[in-house]
Amino acid sequence: MTDSDLYITIDTIKNGLKNNKTKPRFVIVTNFEKFLAFDTKTLDTLGIDFNKLDKNYDFFLPLV
């Protein structure tokens, strides 16, 4: 899966959630090279190389 496929996939999932009464807090898509995450509450997006995930843990602090 290419990087552009990941962006298409996450956009498709986000659009599918618009009419749901309940939403997951995060939408996460990866090909284990690139990591994309979308916070459905704050509408923030994270797009990083997979090997830098540990340096961006603060994005997921709302899960704690």
Side-chain angles (χ1 to χ4, degrees):
M1 184 178 280
T2 66
D3 289 355
S4 62
D5 290 339
L6 288 177
Y7 285 98
I8 292 169
T9 301
I10 204 164
D11 284 340
T12 301
I13 295 170
K14 285 172 20 181
N15 290 333
L17 293 174
K18 286 182 180 176
N19 295 325
N20 286 359
K21 291 181 182 178
T22 60
K23 294 181 185 176
R25 177 64 192 257
F26 291 97
V27 176
I28 298 171
V29 180
T30 185
N31 62 0
F32 299 101
E33 291 177 15
K34 190 78 168 176
F35 184 92
L36 301 178
F38 174 70
D39 186 333
T40 61
K41 186 173 181 181
T42 65
L43 305 180
D44 290 333
T45 302
L46 177 68
I48 56 171
D49 291 333
F50 189 79
N51 61 357
K52 296 185 180 181
L53 184 57
D54 61 330
K55 296 192 180 15
N56 293 277
Y57 70 90
D58 56 326
F59 187 81
F60 299 100
L61 284 177
L63 290 174
V64 177

